[in-house]
Amino acid sequence: MNKYLNYHDSIIKYLLLALPILLISGPLLSEIAVATIFFFLIKEIFKKKIKFSERFFIYGFLFFYISIILGSLFSDYILISLKSTLFYIRFLILIFAINYILNNSENFLKYLKNILLIIFLILIFDGFYQYFFYENIIGLKNVNTNRISSFFGKELIYGSYLCRFLPILVGLLIFFYKT
């Protein structure tokens, strides 16, 4: 592992670390971050700093990607289906970026664990606060009184966000605090 990252590697690292926070703000900032990561990753690929050693994984992902694209083309609602499946390639890009940073940065997982833990504590506290006072800790009113939205506003994805990042947080906590 390199102790010191170059400028582009640092940008990739900090954008990956900021991604859980950016997802709270909405899709725009997170998509900009993923696009930026993509461009810097492509630049590193052309510099020959990134080598793809997991060929089986790449072929498996590409097979899956082509099959969902073909499934979208044969569906009754082609445009709607393609809209949701066409950009799945960004997941492959994120996997390569995370793999690249894990191989070149020492403290990435520790920072990610700390960021996720802070986000979870704030979101859970805000969820309880919003449940009892019908507004979150920054004063945003709850649009739907039956569900908690926290910082997500009108988007009712609070539970989905917590459920999707919980396995990552639990895995990182077990990794760092195993006895």
Side-chain angles (χ1 to χ4, degrees), residues 23-176:
L23 285 170
I24 294 173
S25 69
L28 176 68
L29 294 177
S30 59
E31 291 297 327
I32 291 172
V34 170
T36 307
I37 290 169
F38 172 72
F39 288 120
F40 283 117
L41 198 65
I42 292 297
K43 189 171 185 174
E44 296 301 317
I45 289 171
F46 285 128
K47 285 183 180 179
K48 304 283 188 208
K49 289 179 71 176
I50 299 177
K51 294 186 173 58
F52 302 113
S53 60
E54 301 294 329
R55 298 250 186 242
F56 181 73
F57 174 76
I58 295 170
Y59 294 143
F61 184 87
L62 290 177
F63 175 75
F64 169 73
Y65 183 67
I66 291 169
S67 67
I68 62 172
I69 294 295
L70 288 175
S72 295
L73 291 174
F74 292 120
S75 76
D76 293 334
Y77 304 100
I78 295 174
L79 292 178
I80 295 171
S81 184
L82 274 177
K83 179 182 166 191
S84 64
T85 59
L86 194 59
F87 296 105
Y88 266 44
I89 199 76
R90 68 180 176 226
F91 296 116
L92 183 65
I93 294 163
L94 283 175
I95 290 169
F96 284 137
I98 290 169
N99 186 29
Y100 177 67
I101 291 301
L102 283 175
N103 290 332
N104 294 314
S105 176
E106 289 181 8
N107 298 324
F108 177 76
L109 288 178
K110 187 189 312 181
Y111 292 144
L112 183 63
K113 174 199 53 106
N114 293 337
I115 288 170
L116 285 176
L117 191 61
I118 290 169
I119 289 172
F120 264 70
L121 291 174
I122 290 171
L123 283 175
I124 290 171
F125 174 75
D126 185 59
F128 279 117
Y129 188 86
Q130 190 175 36
Y131 179 76
F132 290 114
F133 299 109
Y134 302 107
E135 66 180 19
N136 68 358
I137 56 178
I138 60 172
L140 293 174
K141 298 284 186 200
N142 191 359
V143 179
N144 188 343
T145 57
N146 297 329
R147 293 180 62 182
I148 296 171
S149 64
S150 185
F151 296 111
F152 298 103
K154 294 179 182 177
E155 295 181 39
L156 299 174
I157 57 172
Y158 173 73
S160 175
Y161 182 89
L162 290 178
C163 286
R164 292 198 171 126
F165 279 104
L166 183 64
I168 298 170
L169 178 62
V170 169
L172 288 171
L173 289 172
I174 290 171
F175 179 73
F176 282 107

